[in-house]
Amino acid sequence: MTGSPVRYSPDVEQRQPDEADTIQQLNEAFDVILERTAEDYSHAVRSVHAKAHGVLKGELVIDDALPPELAQGAFASPGTHEALIRISTNAGDILRDGISLPRGLAIKVLDVKGERLPGADGTAQDFVTNNGKVFVAKDAKTFLGNVKMLAKTTDRMEGTKEVLSTALRGVHNALEAVGLSSPKVDTLGGTPNVDPLGETYNSVTPYRWGDYIAKYRLVPIAADQVALTGRTVEAGDRPDAIREDVQVKMARLNAEWEFQVQLCRDLEMQPIEDPTVEWDEEVSPFQRVAVLRVPAQDSWDPAQVRKIDEETRFSIWTGLAAHQPLGNVNRARNETYRHSADFRARVNGCPYHEPTNAGA
């Protein structure tokens, strides 16, 4: 561990003069995805992470006696909060599970007290993660290029995508064999087709951590989950293989992830504005602050699917000012993700709302 944690101040961010224009273009690119999928499915879906593999209820248990630099924001006091969880794949169209893509895990922690981010309704704190270690784009403008490329292929050539995914998995394995990786290859279908219950999930972008700055991750710790780490899902002719496998396992599995935090200790080695840089754990190791516990349940219960998958919006900008998303990419995700959720609510006639407890 190197040095003291860096204290948050507004000047850790460097805003670009063309951010508003980039955000507008992102909205337009997402509209292509949203409109095409809504027409094809006769139902609007998310512009990213459209396909859910499991929707769950659990609880986040915050540790006792955390050191001051970790006891910040929603984690300032020990306690237990109900939580809603959605496990997904990152594409904006609903693809067969033979096309392997990065996994996502979003959490809505309920009844969190504190000053809210601008426009953050309700009392929940959202945490949005995926199983990559870094973000796919250095900045919002590069992300825009990726989204435009995805928009051109959304819900088209599914058979070709499956063949491409198989080829890209070979590229991933070749890179891994020589100690390299490519988030872009993985995002296009080269990531291993892993079981989501055994994965570690990362914030990949930085956030305010009260008086400090941090990234965070969720690490599986239940023995039955750890046994699934790296397991390949054999999709075969099952288009929803992952959802089916998760449902079978969660009927008996009491899942647990440690919620861990990595504090920023060096702004040059751990940049705020470039989320393609992995923060060195030797400079700042991850430290546990809580446990996410998800008891055995039906992970595709129709009532929970409607509540969590249809009626709920997950956003990094829903929550406390103490957990403000930082950096150009995160700033761009604010308006664009709300734009996507508003489109989905309008087309489906199903307004999203912020629950105050898991039964709401």
Side-chain angles (χ1 to χ4, degrees):
M1 189 179 300
T2 304
S4 301
V6 174
R7 286 193 167 267
Y8 167 77
S9 67
D11 60 10
V12 300
E13 296 187 272
Q14 290 86 47
R15 296 181 180 272
Q16 303 300 315
D18 58 352
E19 282 189 14
D21 180 61
T22 301
I23 289 168
Q24 178 58 36
Q25 291 186 63
L26 276 166
N27 284 339
E28 292 168 1
F30 278 129
D31 278 343
V32 174
I33 298 173
L34 291 163
E35 290 168 6
R36 181 171 295 149
T37 53
E39 180 180 353
D40 288 346
Y41 307 146
S42 299
H43 185 81
V45 297
R46 290 167 169 84
S47 58
V48 291
H49 290 274
K51 187 173 187 177
H53 304 303
V55 291
L56 302 155
K57 292 181 180 179
E59 60 183 20
L60 187 72
V61 183
I62 299 168
D63 287 355
D64 292 328
L66 289 173
E69 65 268 21
L70 297 180
Q72 299 283 327
F75 301 80
S77 301
T80 299
H81 297 264
E82 293 178 277
L84 307 179
I85 299 106
R86 182 179 186 265
I87 298 171
S88 62
T89 280
N90 78 337
D93 42 358
I94 299 175
L95 301 170
R96 293 174 55 87
D97 287 347
I99 301 168
S100 56
L101 294 164
R103 310 288 185 237
L105 190 151
I107 315 166
K108 187 174 291 290
V109 182
L110 306 183
D111 298 323
V112 176
K113 294 179 173 57
E115 179 190 352
R116 308 286 294 171
L117 287 162
D121 297 330
T123 58
Q125 173 66 52
D126 290 4
F127 296 104
V128 179
T129 65
N130 69 56
N131 65 338
K133 290 189 174 181
V134 296
F135 196 72
V136 69
K138 180 177 181 177
D139 53 33
K141 192 173 291 187
T142 307
F143 182 46
L144 170 62
N146 293 347
V147 173
K148 285 181 176 179
M149 178 180 62
L150 292 173
K152 291 178 181 178
T153 61
T154 293
D155 206 36
R156 294 180 179 177
M157 306 178 296
E158 186 166 9
T160 302
K161 288 181 181 179
E162 199 152 0
V163 172
L164 177 63
S165 180
T166 300
L168 288 174
R169 283 198 294 271
V171 175
H172 171 99
N173 292 338
L175 289 171
E176 191 174 63
V178 294
L180 300 174
S181 64
S182 170
K184 189 168 186 177
V185 166
D186 290 353
T187 300
L188 290 173
T191 188
N193 208 15
V194 291
D195 189 317
L197 293 175
E199 288 298 282
T200 291
Y201 293 91
N202 302 276
S203 69
V204 304
T205 53
Y207 294 80
R208 183 176 172 184
W209 195 259
D211 294 332
Y212 304 97
I213 302 162
K215 291 184 179 180
Y216 55 84
R217 71 181 182 186
L218 292 155
V219 181
I221 56 173
D224 288 344
Q225 272 180 281
V226 174
L228 298 173
T229 301
R231 171 188 172 270
T232 299
V233 176
E234 300 297 340
D237 59 356
R238 297 185 298 149
D240 300 319
I242 301 169
R243 184 181 299 165
E244 293 166 1
D245 286 7
V246 168
Q247 192 172 25
V248 168
K249 291 183 178 69
M250 281 307 306
R252 58 171 179 77
L253 173 65
N254 293 310
E256 289 191 344
W257 282 271
E258 265 193 8
F259 194 115
Q260 300 176 352
V261 170
Q262 184 184 32
L263 294 173
C264 178
R265 297 177 186 276
D266 186 317
L267 286 171
E268 290 190 8
M269 298 181 68
Q270 299 171 305
I272 304 303
E273 296 290 348
D274 184 357
T276 63
V277 175
E278 183 178 354
W279 289 7
D280 191 339
E281 291 184 50
E282 290 189 8
V283 173
S284 181
F286 281 92
Q287 298 170 273
R288 169 177 155 160
V289 294
V291 175
L292 177 66
R293 293 180 177 153
V294 184
Q297 61 193 275
D298 181 358
S299 61
W300 205 247
D301 173 76
Q304 287 192 187
V305 169
R306 178 162 184 82
K307 174 182 176 56
I308 298 173
D309 202 41
E310 291 292 336
E311 298 177 356
T312 300
R313 167 183 181 256
F314 293 89
S315 167
I316 60 172
W317 286 90
T318 296
L320 302 184
H323 297 301
Q324 176 187 330
L326 301 176
N328 173 257
V329 166
N330 276 343
R331 292 191 296 273
R333 292 164 81 188
N334 187 5
E335 184 181 327
T336 53
Y337 286 21
R338 182 178 290 275
H339 179 83
S340 170
D342 287 345
F343 177 94
R344 186 162 55 95
R346 183 173 66 254
V347 170
N348 294 340
C350 180
Y352 55 82
H353 66 281
E354 289 298 330
T356 55
N357 57 68

